[in-house]
Amino acid sequence: MTVHHPQTPQFFLTSPSACPYLPGQAERKVFTHLVGERAPALLDLLSQGGFRRSQNIAYRPACERCRACVSVRILVDEFSPGKSMRRILAKNSDLVGRMSTPSPTSEQYSLFHNYIDHRHARGGMAEMSVLDYAMMVEDSQVDTRLIEYRRKGPDSRFTTTSDGELLAVALSDVMADGMSMVYSFFDPDEDQRSLGTYMILDHIERTRRMGLSYLYLGYWVEGSKKMDYKIRFQPQEHLSPKGWERYQG
């Protein structure tokens, strides 16, 4: 009989399902639960092996015939934005980002629902209710932060009460060696702002100010247009069978 120590994580394998990134491929994931006092340390360890977090679950791809998903992290101390990224920062200089403990609101959910309807109407999140959204935000036993990006009010330097319209939200974890962007969404009517890129740039700076080394961006899939944006943030490391290696693309 196999006996599992209560402090030892148990891993499980999902059934095959359609891959959301590569047509004709099937995906499987290996996952474990992040619970109790050891959850932060376990997430730190698993992130080194390419795992990601969703609520209280850590997972990574375990596909039988495909290894296209590659874990990516940005080297924040070496990163310097290029000309186009500096333009995006300037275009969003009228925004202020407030970091806090995760707390869902109806305003966030309205923005989330609008984003999903415009960008991922056929995806798995299209049917998420207010309760589902609240669980996504709150169900974490690690150090998770929520950042709201709003138009600056006249007194934004001195108080949060004068901040204006909510344009974007990021849910991110703080780990021992870096930040990990878990999920982000934004106003789809503000395409000209490139808010997705802006939030990554803002996270790079936040990670640097915290004295941490990496910003984890999840998985990059070569050939997937959904993932192309991640490769623009250089320098970065990719997780290979030999460990984390500097990307030489």
Side-chain angles (χ1 to χ4, degrees):
M1 182 177 68
T2 302
V3 178
H4 293 280
H5 190 278
Q7 296 297 314
T8 302
Q10 297 182 47
F11 291 87
F12 308 90
L13 190 64
T14 66
S15 300
S17 60
C19 175
Y21 305 115
L22 298 177
Q25 294 285 349
E27 71 166 359
R28 300 187 79 178
K29 294 185 177 75
V30 60
F31 69 94
T32 189
H33 294 280
L34 297 167
V35 293
E37 295 179 355
R38 295 183 68 250
L42 180 58
L43 180 62
D44 286 345
L45 179 64
L46 292 177
S47 294
Q48 293 296 319
F51 278 73
R52 297 284 290 164
R53 184 184 71 83
S54 176
Q55 295 180 228
N56 67 351
I57 288 174
Y59 69 91
R60 67 165 295 172
C63 306
E64 295 176 0
R65 299 183 179 87
C66 180
R67 295 294 182 268
C69 289
V70 178
S71 294
V72 173
R73 66 186 186 185
I74 301 170
L75 300 164
V76 300
D77 287 333
E78 297 181 47
F79 176 82
S80 180
K83 187 179 296 185
S84 64
M85 291 182 180
R86 290 197 298 271
R87 285 198 294 266
I88 291 171
L89 288 170
K91 191 173 293 185
N92 290 285
S93 61
D94 61 332
L95 299 186
V96 59
R98 305 286 189 190
M99 179 185 286
S100 63
T101 55
S103 180
T105 67
S106 57
E107 185 182 25
Q108 293 167 18
Y109 178 72
S110 178
L111 181 65
F112 168 79
H113 204 279
N114 190 26
Y115 171 80
I116 293 296
D117 284 348
H118 280 79
R119 294 296 186 97
H120 306 286
R122 297 182 180 179
M125 298 178 118
E127 303 301 321
M128 283 180 64
S129 66
V130 175
L131 180 59
D132 294 330
Y133 173 77
M135 290 293 290
M136 181 179 77
V137 171
E138 292 181 317
D139 193 5
S140 169
Q141 297 197 32
V142 300
D143 186 1
T144 301
R145 316 286 178 89
L146 186 138
I147 307 171
E148 291 188 339
Y149 297 89
R150 297 179 179 273
R151 297 185 196 273
K152 290 180 182 176
D155 300 315
S156 288
R157 284 185 61 190
F158 310 104
T159 175
T160 62
T161 58
S162 64
D163 293 345
E165 178 187 2
L166 181 66
L167 294 186
V169 174
L171 189 68
S172 303
D173 292 337
V174 178
M175 303 184 300
D177 64 353
M179 290 189 75
S180 174
M181 297 186 72
V182 176
Y183 193 74
S184 61
F185 54 93
F186 52 85
D187 187 341
D189 296 326
E190 296 283 344
D191 273 346
Q192 77 285 355
R193 287 181 175 269
S194 300
L195 287 165
T197 297
Y198 171 70
M199 282 190 282
I200 294 176
L201 293 171
D202 180 69
H203 273 69
I204 290 172
E205 184 56 30
R206 289 177 185 274
T207 304
R208 184 185 288 127
R209 290 201 305 263
M210 289 180 184
L212 303 173
S213 300
Y214 308 108
L215 176 63
Y216 289 81
L217 288 186
Y219 303 114
W220 171 64
V221 178
E222 188 172 8
S224 170
K225 290 185 178 181
K226 293 180 182 179
M227 297 291 195
D228 280 349
Y229 71 94
K230 296 185 181 183
I231 214 67
R232 296 171 54 214
F233 298 89
Q234 301 284 344
Q236 60 183 236
E237 292 181 339
H238 291 186
L239 184 59
S240 76
K242 298 179 181 179
W244 289 98
E245 297 183 317
R246 198 180 186 95
Y247 176 65
Q248 302 292 342

